[in-house]
Amino acid sequence: MVRQKTRYIFNYVVLLIALFCMASCENNLNTVNLITSKDKTPLEVEDNASIVYTDSAKTKFHLTAPRIEDYGGNDPYTLFPKGISIDFYDDSSNINGHIDANYAIMHKNSKLMEADNNIRVVNRKKEKLNTEQLFWDQNKHRIYTNKFVTIKTARQIIYGDGLVSNEDFTQYKITNIRGTIELDTPEEKDKK
């Protein structure tokens, strides 16, 4: 009988300790979110930005953006949430190319820039690329996409499902050509 009472008391004490522990282990959702969430506040914000990048006293590019947001952390990045426009210059300070996009993000560690929504690229030969997503890998010096592309040259309009190119968009390969439209040049119109 003493053994049963001891066992009963022991079980009762264990149950009380368990209930006390469960009652005291309350998770405050706000505290959990505060501890586990990453800070999404920009370190620096610039509105109506105009940045000129030079190297050896020569202008390399001129970037304009309605808003630039810089973020830190383990994967720091720069966000262009309202779009970006960049003019590229040659060594004689002539515009060598141009890019516009409605949104862009530059990952600082990987040096990978992603542009999205209504991207327009013009190279020094006045060839025009239109697409909805474009990546620029600064380490590999190439641009690429697997989205639908339209390229307009002096003689053709080419449609495809992707593109790989050098940085200045002068040597490119369309990965899946859907069609080509030949355009009349002024010389050909005069012959008719």
Side-chain angles (χ1 to χ4, degrees):
M1 176 97 132
V2 174
R3 203 184 237 177
Q4 260 186 337
K5 252 186 181 180
T6 306
R7 192 174 182 176
Y8 175 76
I9 293 172
F10 178 76
N11 287 340
Y12 181 73
V13 169
V14 169
L15 181 63
L16 282 176
I17 291 172
L19 287 173
F20 178 74
C21 287
M22 286 195 293
S24 65
C25 292
E26 178 184 327
N27 287 332
N28 182 330
L29 192 56
N30 291 333
T31 304
V32 171
N33 286 337
L34 184 63
I35 292 169
T36 61
S37 71
K38 295 181 181 175
D39 187 10
K40 296 295 182 189
T41 304
L43 300 173
E44 187 176 346
V45 175
E46 186 173 349
D47 289 321
N48 300 316
S50 178
I51 300 169
V52 177
Y53 176 79
T54 60
D55 186 14
S56 303
K58 293 183 180 181
T59 301
K60 295 299 181 182
F61 67 82
H62 179 211
L63 178 148
T64 57
R67 184 174 183 92
I68 299 175
E69 300 174 358
D70 272 324
Y71 293 85
N74 294 335
D75 183 21
Y77 60 94
T78 302
L79 188 64
F80 305 88
K82 296 181 179 180
I84 189 170
S85 179
I86 307 172
D87 287 323
F88 298 94
Y89 294 86
D90 63 17
D91 289 337
S92 301
S93 297
N94 298 314
I95 293 178
N96 197 25
H98 180 81
I99 184 169
D100 283 320
N102 291 351
Y103 171 90
I105 183 170
M106 169 58 95
H107 296 277
K108 294 177 184 178
N109 290 345
S110 64
K111 293 191 176 184
L112 181 68
M113 180 178 232
E114 176 185 347
D116 289 294
N117 302 327
N118 199 22
I119 298 139
R120 295 163 306 280
V121 178
V122 180
N123 66 16
R124 67 177 169 243
K125 298 186 278 187
K126 305 297 183 216
E127 296 172 326
K128 298 174 184 168
L129 164 67
N130 292 88
T131 188
E132 287 301 311
Q133 185 178 49
L134 190 67
F135 294 94
W136 174 30
D137 187 331
Q138 292 178 355
N139 292 326
K140 294 181 180 177
H141 305 286
R142 68 182 186 128
I143 60 174
Y144 60 93
T145 184
N146 62 359
K147 301 291 184 184
F148 182 77
V149 296
T150 302
I151 298 175
K152 184 176 181 184
T153 68
R155 302 191 56 131
Q156 298 177 322
I157 299 175
I158 308 164
Y159 302 99
D161 288 328
L163 169 127
V164 177
S165 173
N166 60 343
E167 282 178 314
D168 61 3
F169 182 56
T170 55
Q171 299 173 357
Y172 51 85
K173 178 183 176 191
I174 301 168
T175 52
N176 185 22
I177 295 176
R178 285 191 183 187
T180 303
I181 298 173
E182 297 294 328
L183 301 175
D184 286 338
T185 63
E187 300 85 33
E188 291 172 346
K189 286 181 182 178
D190 292 339
K191 292 179 185 176
K192 291 182 180 180

